[in-house]
Amino acid sequence: MKISDFAIKVKLELQSVLGEEYMVDINENCKMNGVKKWAVTIHKDSNIAPTIYLEAFYKNFCSGQEFEKIIDDIVMMYRESAPSEDVDMSDFMKFELIKDKICFKLCNTDKNCEILENIPSIPFHDLSIIFYVLVSNELFGSGQILIRNEHLKLWNVKVSDLMACAKTNTPQLLNIKLSNIIDVMKNILRRNDGLSEKEISDYSLADRDECFMWVLSNEDGFNGAASILYPNALDDIYDTVGKSYFVIPSSIHELIVVPDKDGVEGDESWNFRCCQLLDMIHQVNESEVPEADILSDNLYYYNSEDKVFKLVCLDETA
């Protein structure tokens, strides 16, 4: 059974189990990077409904889980997350009421051509800056609403207005975080491996000159790659690492900063280093990063002398 057939089967069974008071819909949602996911929504007594993605349930079904158990799990998930009343969305209709919550994030331009046709964006090398409203509600917690072209018409604003708001709001709402890789590894060990503080402290802390890699994100660790756009971010990173540096697009959520300790931009050693890093980016994107989270297969470089952040092209490293 294909997942599309499974989704239809789920819809029909949910409608039968829940009754006519509920409205059950299925959709194939287009996510970032062209990833499409089947989802079910269930409406009752509210103007919004939680989106329940079906891929994990389909995988369990293909592995032999009983269909009735899957339906029970979906119903339970819905009842745990469904709002019991309408959510007031009137603020979203007026730009003045939401402008302080407009933020930006980065996505890959080529991988998101379909979505970019319908949303405001600004080119940034091989990437695009896109915008969303950061929302928080007692009923469904925090989230984001992607800003679309129709919202610009509703608010009678331009893309430049969005960018002006986002340049101020994003750094304030999502503080930048630059961590050396040793500290990141220690936190992972502390969280996942149950090592004692003494065992963890045996890992030597790297100072600015010794650290070979830094992780750039925001304090939430979500859509953190956009922190490279923050005012003065490029110079602040230089102040920390102390050298010109490469930027590896680890994912839409974080970037990896690698100090350029030895090479001179454009020389043979520098070109070889670029090729090594590009190979690593391609391999990691192919095997480690979820498709929807991939930011780019390219490499970036910040030259501290001319203060230029640039895309490293393969032709330049030949």
Side-chain angles (χ1 to χ4, degrees), residues 17-298:
V17 169
L18 294 171
E20 296 182 357
E21 294 182 353
Y22 294 80
M23 179 183 297
V24 181
D25 291 309
I26 56 169
N27 295 283
E28 188 180 23
N29 294 340
C30 184
K31 309 293 286 184
M32 302 308 296
N33 294 343
V35 174
K36 294 184 177 181
K37 292 187 175 183
W38 282 94
V40 60
T41 56
I42 304 170
H43 286 267
K44 182 180 184 291
D45 300 329
S46 177
N47 59 342
I48 66 168
T51 299
I52 301 173
Y53 290 101
L54 297 177
E55 273 71 19
F57 295 105
Y58 175 66
K59 184 177 180 179
N60 291 340
F61 176 74
C62 292
S63 298
Q65 187 174 46
E66 293 184 359
F67 187 69
E68 290 77 9
K69 175 65 166 59
I70 290 173
I71 295 299
D72 289 344
D73 289 345
I74 294 175
V75 171
M76 180 180 298
M77 184 178 293
Y78 163 72
R79 296 198 188 284
E80 289 176 349
S81 57
S84 58
E85 58 189 54
D86 282 351
V87 175
D88 185 4
M89 298 295 291
S90 59
D91 286 359
F92 197 77
M93 306 297 287
K94 300 177 181 179
F95 185 72
E96 289 298 316
L97 297 179
I98 54 88
K99 67 178 184 179
D100 293 336
K101 300 176 183 178
I102 292 174
C103 298
F104 53 47
K105 60 183 178 179
L106 286 170
C107 72
N108 185 281
T109 300
D110 288 344
K111 291 179 179 290
N112 291 283
C113 293
E114 182 178 349
I115 291 179
L116 289 170
E117 290 180 359
N118 301 307
I119 63 175
S121 63
I122 296 175
F124 181 69
H125 299 292
D126 63 323
L127 309 175
S128 291
I129 304 169
I130 59 178
F131 306 91
Y132 62 95
V133 178
L134 193 63
V135 296
S136 179
N137 185 281
E138 293 181 357
L139 292 174
F140 56 83
S142 61
Q144 56 180 268
I145 301 175
L146 188 65
I147 295 178
R148 300 183 175 276
N149 292 337
E150 54 261 35
H151 297 137
L152 295 189
K153 296 178 181 178
L154 173 66
W155 299 329
N156 192 28
V157 298
K158 301 177 181 178
V159 179
S160 58
D161 298 319
L162 299 181
M163 189 61 183
C165 293
K167 284 178 67 175
T168 299
N169 299 335
T170 317
Q172 292 179 352
L173 298 174
L174 301 166
N175 294 331
I176 193 170
K177 183 177 182 181
L178 182 65
S179 308
N180 73 53
I181 193 65
I182 302 299
D183 285 345
V184 173
M185 292 171 63
K186 288 176 66 175
N187 288 334
I188 292 173
L189 291 171
R190 183 180 291 109
R191 184 172 61 248
N192 297 337
D193 292 351
L195 297 183
S196 68
E197 287 301 318
K198 183 181 183 305
E199 290 173 311
I200 292 173
S201 65
D202 290 339
Y203 288 84
S204 60
L205 285 173
D207 63 25
R208 188 185 73 176
D209 294 327
E210 294 173 341
C211 188
F212 64 96
M213 191 176 292
W214 300 75
V215 179
L216 176 69
S217 186
N218 56 42
E219 291 186 349
D220 285 2
F222 192 74
N223 292 324
S227 57
I228 196 74
L229 303 172
Y230 291 5
N232 303 317
L234 295 170
D235 288 335
D236 290 345
I237 295 169
Y238 169 73
D239 289 341
T240 299
V241 305
K243 294 175 174 65
S244 298
Y245 52 85
F246 298 98
V247 174
I248 296 172
S250 176
S251 73
I252 60 173
H253 303 303
E254 65 181 25
L255 304 173
I256 304 298
V257 175
V258 181
D260 183 18
K261 293 186 176 181
D262 304 316
V264 176
E265 184 179 355
D267 70 7
E268 184 176 350
S269 175
W270 189 85
N271 290 343
F272 179 73
R273 181 65 168 147
C274 289
C275 290
Q276 285 184 315
L277 292 174
L278 283 164
D279 285 344
M280 182 181 72
I281 292 168
H282 295 158
Q283 291 174 13
V284 171
N285 279 346
E286 287 180 1
S287 61
E288 303 294 335
V289 184
E291 182 66 28
D293 290 347
I294 291 175
L295 182 60
S296 175
D297 286 326
N298 290 313

